Amino acid sequence: MTDSKYFTTTKKGEIFELKAELNSDKKEKKKEAVKKVIASMTVGKDVSALFPDVVNCMQTDNLELKKLVYLYLMNYAKSQPDMAIMAVNTFVKDCEDPNPLIRALAVRTMGCIRVDKITEYLCEPLRKCLKDEDPYVRKTAAVCVAKLHDINAQLVEDQGFLDTLKDLISDSNPMVVANAVAALSEIAESHPNSNLLDLNPQTINKLLTALNECTEWGQIFILDCLANYTPRDDRESQSICERVTPRLSHANSAVVLSAVKVLMKFMEMLPKDLDYYGTLLKKLAPPLVTLLSAEPELQYVALRNINLIVQRRPEILKHEMKVFFVKYNDPIYVKLEKLDIMIRLASQANIAQVLAELKEYATEVDVDFVRKAVRAIGRCAIKVEQSAERCVSTLLDLIQTKVNYVVQEAIVVIKDIFRKYPNKYESVIATLCENLDSLDEPEARAAMIWIVGEYAERIDNADELLESFLEGFHDESTQVQLQLLTAIVKLFLKKPTETQELVQQVLSLATQDSDNPDLRDRGYIYWRLLSTDPVAAKEVVLAEKPLISEETDLIEPTLLEELICHIGTLASVYHKPPSAFVEGSRGVQHKRLPGSAGSGESVESPDTGSAAGVSEAPPAVIPSQGDLLGDLLNLDLTPPTTTGPPPPSSGMQMGAMDLLGGGLDSLMGDESEPLGGDLGGSPAMGAGFSAPPAAMPASFNAPVSGGLDDLFDLGGGVGMPMGAYSPPKTVWLPAMKAKGLEISGTFARRAGVIQMEMTLTNKAMSGMADFAIQFNRNSFGLAPAGPLQILTPLPPNQSIEAVLPLSTVGPVMKMEPLNNLQVAVKNNIDVFYFSCQYPISMLFVEDGKMERQVFLATWKDIPNDNESQFQIKDCHLNSDAASNKLQGSNIFTIAKRTVEGQDMLYQSMKLTNGIWVLAELRVQAGNPNYTISLKCRAPEVSQCVFQNYEMVLKN
């Protein structure tokens, strides 16, 4: 008999009848009544009036009835908290029942009753269940702790449940381990700085052991936890990869993707020349291919994840192109995703195969898919240069089909091919012009107009063609109007005598008859340019255009790194970080891949690390304005508070690192402080940079031995220092880019304080107020030490001086170049972004003068590979004048000696983050060219230091 009978209503007073049945002495009748109550509750009827009667049924040995009562209790406890307290005694009693199923059921229900009054009564039963002899009860209790933490976090911490939960990670039962990890991960997400999951090699070993015996969801929890661990070195990384690899053959696709996430992350630390690295790449392909034989919805999720993997490591699937060929019965969302991956994998080796497929797709019936296929042919032409000719002839064949939407898409992509390969395929223009009348989509019309304007000198009737578009100028979309205006101005500059009337007509249409401000402004600019300086107009309008790159649709590298850390989650399907779509995402942490083997962020010091090569640079992306300024868009532009240094961001904080290693302590005895903060362990040369070090100049190994040993005997002959050099102000933010706000500025170091000195000029028509400033993460942690002090509104055509003191305790991220600073300035009009470069001498501290013995020992201690040599040309100072000038910028001369008429200055400087730079400056009397040798634990800094020497000495 089915349960449907419980959903049929009786004609009499239903609640009254149920009440009577619930209080019946017969067990069967009681159970039937509770089933009817649950049925009514399920269809949305309010049966809360029966609360006391249902709770009375809890006192039973029948497991089925107990489950039903607990279900009712979970649903109505929130609306009847006072009544729910009646059930507490039964819970406590059930938690000591001899049947482990009942103990687990009680603790599970307790966790689901979200009533504050009850939670404190449940602590004791929960404590007992966490230490229960039965693993089923323990695993249920582990999850209950996470639920209780969500209701009352303070209570969980006070009762010591978190410590008990950590102990469960060492439990003998793998399911208990998995649930403990799941609970701790859940709690850690809402408290990102709590470091609950204190992962170390011993814990990791326990997790990997439990991994083999867990259920599939347990495996996912453990794998996700492993993905948050950063191994100490490549050996540990390889060991974890070897033990995770068997999960790739699991039947559950979620387990497979979680395993792929762990392997993708840990591969970053493996040297590329390692045999195991190649083996791992080969092992990753089959499971990803297998995911594509599942149902379409799963395929789509797999494809979105594969799209990320292919952008990070295309070599994994480079031989699997055929898997991504579209099947006739694939849904459109799968087809479009496969097409995208095909283009990412296209290379010279497989381009013929890909083009044959794409040509086939262009004859399909699905319009959206056909459009995407035609675009894909164009992208292949731009990506694989050798295939461009074949792609263009394929596109021409498609244009000959005369199918309207195919022709329009083909014209749009041919425009891009012209941009990529100028003066190569212009012979096809005649064919394109034949199809002019059939174009009705704005993008295709704009592309055709651009082609006619760009190659007007090759098209005899270019003026007639453009004139035909002018007839309905006001009915065109803005995109077409703007393109038409530019094209006619180009035509006029190429054929001025024949097109004077045409250009006047379009300029008057754009400026006098149009209410679109963009069109009007462009019209006026062209009009003024043409009337004042036709030569300048030619240089502006007919300037050489930069070549376009196929990789414009690549995800920005830092975002891609974060998404790789979220493979198998919603973030990898949306291709957005969790913070972009999780509401109230206070607990969402930004994850990063670990530094690759051989890069500056390597966990081991270069002295002891493996001889790994520098990781390959990511593909050059033409970033959008948003990507270029990275996190600036997310910055809170309220004035910063200076309560102290923030916590280190993902292991990249550069300060407080001993860049000279522990060796100097012993050299100096106990007389002075250590030079670089904590002097423990091996030299941490990478300085926490997240990218591979820039290629340094070839080391010239300057002959200094013999000379340095005599340093002690030589007096300096060093005079009094001059003042610090500060570069003149330059325009950082032009008014035309910031709605009338112009910012010019410079940096200075005054009395040990770094300052940003700015002149803000209002070139707009209205006043400006409410100024605030914020910096993006940068190489040395520069951040405003206080708000931007502009107290009065800035009236039109007025300027104001502002001095912003800076601190060096902000978040750190290596920039390119190293001294680049990205800034956001807000006022009452908008937020504006610009970048500027600060002279590195702003970061040279006043206590940067080394003891001579220490200098000598350090110079010898730094490897010769870290030495860079540069020429400073056209400098006419003698050595004493140079020394004085440099000392003003905190570059201290420690000793000076003269060898064969050549003065040799030995100098030291120390950066705010503890990096020491040592220099040998050679000055030959009568020779305007100086030679400088720089030695530093972080050789990336040398180029900036050299530029600083040049700037100070020549000004």
Side-chain angles (χ1 to χ4, degrees), residues 849-865:
K849 187 167 185 176
M850 256 191 190
E851 293 295 323
R852 291 184 187 180
Q853 300 92 319
V854 178
F855 181 94
L856 174 60
T858 308
W859 184 282
K860 287 179 175 176
D861 193 40
I862 296 175
N864 284 338
D865 286 352

Side-chain angles (χ1 to χ4, degrees), residues 224-242:
D224 286 350
C225 177
L226 285 173
N228 294 328
Y229 175 61
T230 305
R232 292 165 307 174
D233 52 28
D234 52 6
R235 195 176 304 136
E236 188 186 0
S237 189
Q238 181 176 337
S239 158
I240 294 172
C241 288
E242 284 168 353

Side-chain angles (χ1 to χ4, degrees), residues 180-450:
V181 167
L184 284 168
S185 302
E186 181 84 15
I187 294 168
E189 266 181 30
S190 58
H191 292 68
N193 300 324
S194 58
N195 195 24
L196 281 176
L197 272 163
D198 184 15
L199 297 175
N200 54 45
Q202 290 74 32
T203 317
I204 293 295
N205 198 30
K206 287 169 189 164
L207 294 184
L208 287 166
T209 308
L211 187 62
N212 299 323
E213 300 163 43
C214 280
T215 64
E216 47 200 21
W217 295 109
Q219 291 181 28
I220 292 165
F221 290 134
I222 290 177
L223 287 167
D224 286 350
C225 177
L226 285 173
N228 294 328
Y229 175 61
T230 305
R232 292 165 307 174
D233 52 28
D234 52 6
R235 195 176 304 136
E236 188 186 0
S237 189
Q238 181 176 337
S239 158
I240 294 172
C241 288
E242 284 168 353
R243 293 176 71 178
V244 168
T245 310
R247 300 300 111 214
L248 293 173
S249 52
H250 201 285
N252 185 326
S253 50
V255 176
V256 174
L257 282 176
S258 292
V260 168
K261 168 167 64 182
V262 174
L263 296 172
M264 284 292 290
K265 185 171 179 183
F266 289 0
M267 275 171 80
E268 295 292 327
M269 296 190 65
L270 297 178
K272 287 205 170 69
D273 53 2
L274 198 69
D275 290 343
Y276 180 71
Y277 180 84
T279 314
L280 197 53
L281 285 179
K282 286 178 191 154
K283 282 184 180 172
L284 276 168
L288 294 172
V289 169
T290 308
L291 289 175
L292 298 182
S293 54
E295 51 268 34
E297 295 80 6
L298 270 180
Q299 274 189 55
Y300 178 71
V301 172
L303 286 164
R304 292 293 280 175
N305 280 280
I306 287 169
N307 201 327
L308 295 174
I309 292 164
V310 163
Q311 286 185 54
R312 184 76 192 172
R313 297 203 180 280
E315 62 268 30
I316 292 175
L317 288 162
K318 66 180 176 186
H319 300 306
E320 304 291 345
M321 177 63 87
K322 283 192 173 170
V323 184
F324 301 104
F325 286 175
V326 171
K327 297 191 182 90
Y328 75 96
N329 58 351
D330 280 340
I332 183 67
Y333 54 88
V334 171
K335 284 180 175 176
L336 295 177
E337 207 55 43
K338 280 185 173 178
L339 205 53
D340 203 28
I341 295 169
M342 276 171 67
I343 299 159
R344 295 207 193 287
L345 290 174
S347 65
Q348 203 175 336
N350 56 26
I351 194 72
Q353 222 180 357
V354 172
L355 276 179
E357 275 290 309
L358 293 175
K359 192 172 180 182
E360 197 67 34
Y361 300 160
T363 59
E364 289 265 343
V365 288
D366 191 316
V367 176
D368 282 340
F369 181 52
V370 171
R371 286 175 180 279
K372 189 98 182 216
V374 176
R375 291 227 168 178
I377 294 171
R379 278 175 63 187
C380 285
I382 290 165
K383 183 175 182 184
V384 186
E385 190 168 345
Q386 294 79 357
S387 73
E389 202 157 326
R390 193 183 290 169
C391 292
V392 171
S393 67
T394 306
L395 289 167
L396 287 176
D397 292 346
L398 291 172
I399 288 173
Q400 298 307 338
T401 61
K402 301 291 181 190
V403 178
N404 190 288
Y405 54 86
V406 175
V407 172
Q408 306 207 64
E409 283 298 331
I411 285 173
V412 171
V413 296
I414 285 175
K415 178 202 79 173
D416 288 340
I417 293 172
F418 284 168
R419 283 282 309 274
K420 174 75 176 176
Y421 308 111
N423 307 319
K424 209 166 179 186
Y425 300 109
E426 281 72 15
S427 54
V428 307
I429 291 173
T431 316
L432 302 183
C433 291
E434 290 167 16
N435 296 282
L436 210 58
D437 301 335
S438 65
L439 306 180
D440 53 18
E441 290 172 15
E443 197 176 0
R445 287 172 78 82
M448 192 65 228
I449 291 167
W450 181 88

Side-chain angles (χ1 to χ4, degrees), residues 607-665:
D607 280 356
T608 56
S610 57
V614 174
S615 67
E616 291 166 27
V621 179
I622 299 177
S624 64
Q625 176 74 353
D627 291 339
L628 191 66
L629 290 155
D631 298 343
L632 278 175
L633 296 174
N634 304 324
L635 291 175
D636 178 13
L637 280 161
T638 49
T641 53
T642 52
T643 52
S649 56
S650 60
M652 294 186 355
Q653 191 71 28
M654 284 173 58
M657 270 193 173
D658 170 27
L659 287 158
L660 291 171
L664 291 176
D665 248 359

